[in-house]
Amino acid sequence: DVKVTQSSRYLVKRTGEKVFLECVQDMDHENMFWYRQDPGLGLRLIYFSYDVKMKEKGDIPEGYSVSREKKERFSLILESASTNQTSMYLCASSLEAGYIQYFGAGTRLSVL
Amino acid sequence: EDQVTQSPEALRLQEGESSSLNCSYTVSGLRGLFWYRQDPGKGPEFLFTLYSAGEEKEKERLKATLTKKESFLHITAPKPEDSATYLCAVRGNSGNTPLVFGKGTRLSVIA
């Protein structure tokens, strides 16, 4: 079974803090994704990566950056957290960009 | 631009009351349609992939069907444990692009 692990289930941060969300997958997948999910808005793609050190902007990249130094690890960075970044963050991986995505359990981030 | 619309937004059923969830899509050359189940506070869990019109997939009380414009997730004699949000996603023909997700249908099954 594919396993996608997100480092934290719950995080509470202060406005202006730098926040790192980590994601690791164990299936040697080429593609990894970061989404945020808010009530009524569904899943929104923040960034994705189709290869090590490669990244592509999704639909809502503003206020976020990413890092992919190793194939199995994809990090989402909030450079200066703001209250409107309070959300559920989901990481996913897939063999190809348009193929089955396997999701982690999610990180619920609260920015106070 | 690829689009996915799911209806209804929310559905409340009595245990044993069969129904269907709808996923309408607009895509340039469908290369796959995906159904996921998401429990509260958890990540989506993959259920099915459908590739061509007329295809059907089944798993326990769930059956997914596909036409050229929409997919249905039929739930037969649902139980309370089927309560979840069901997400639909499509893959179009536009190169190396990610799946496009609908906003989901929140299903509640009451005992």
Side-chain angles (χ1 to χ4, degrees):
Chain A
D1 280 354
V2 176
K3 193 166 180 65
V4 179
T5 303
Q6 295 185 229
S7 53
S8 305
R9 290 301 309 276
Y10 302 95
L11 274 180
V12 180
K13 297 293 181 180
R14 297 254 179 229
T15 302
E17 278 193 77
K18 190 168 186 175
V19 181
F20 293 85
L21 303 182
E22 307 285 345
C23 176
V24 177
Q25 51 95 2
D26 67 354
M27 279 303 291
D28 203 34
H29 282 169
E30 299 290 337
N31 295 266
M32 296 188 74
F33 310 83
W34 275 106
Y35 295 88
R36 64 178 284 177
Q37 188 175 38
D38 302 286
L41 298 178
L43 283 170
R44 291 184 291 169
L45 182 64
I46 304 171
Y47 269 97
F48 68 103
S49 168
Y50 53 87
D51 199 354
V52 175
K53 296 190 185 291
M54 303 298 287
K55 61 185 179 184
E56 291 281 347
K57 291 181 180 179
D59 300 318
I60 52 163
E62 297 79 19
Y64 303 93
S65 62
V66 289
S67 171
R68 194 166 181 203
E69 297 294 322
K70 293 185 178 181
K71 190 175 187 179
E72 68 270 20
R73 187 179 298 270
F74 193 34
S75 302
L76 180 70
I77 303 157
L78 287 66
E79 294 289 344
S80 177
S82 63
T83 55
N84 62 11
Q85 292 178 310
T86 291
S87 186
M88 172 70 122
Y89 289 87
L90 289 160
C91 173
S93 74
S94 72
L95 198 57
E96 300 173 15
Y99 196 56
I100 301 168
Q101 291 185 16
Y102 297 91
F103 285 83
T107 296
R108 187 163 294 283
L109 173 67
S110 296
V111 183
L112 306 178
Chain B
E1 183 180 327
D2 300 343
Q3 287 189 330
V4 177
T5 302
Q6 292 188 247
S7 61
E9 286 186 19
L11 181 62
R12 189 179 172 97
L13 299 173
Q14 293 292 320
E15 184 173 3
E17 180 187 1
S18 301
S19 188
S20 298
L21 313 183
N22 178 264
C23 171
S24 297
Y25 62 88
T26 304
V27 67
S28 55
L30 181 72
R31 296 183 66 183
L33 185 140
F34 304 81
W35 281 99
Y36 287 82
R37 171 194 169 123
Q38 186 176 20
D39 292 306
K42 297 187 178 180
E45 177 186 344
F46 170 71
L47 291 172
F48 305 110
T49 307
L50 302 166
Y51 292 104
S52 57
E55 190 176 356
E56 299 182 352
K57 294 270 179 76
E58 281 190 70
K59 181 179 180 179
E60 296 179 0
R61 294 175 292 283
L62 300 177
K63 183 166 83 171
T65 62
L66 181 64
T67 73
K68 290 187 177 179
K69 294 183 178 180
E70 56 193 350
S71 176
F72 292 93
L73 185 65
H74 306 278
I75 303 175
T76 302
K79 298 183 177 181
E81 52 262 42
D82 295 321
S83 297
T85 296
Y86 291 86
L87 299 172
C88 172
V90 297
R91 176 187 182 184
N93 221 2
S94 313
N96 192 33
T97 54
L99 302 182
V100 175
F101 282 86
K103 293 183 179 180
T105 293
R106 189 172 64 255
L107 174 66
S108 301
V109 182
I110 312 302

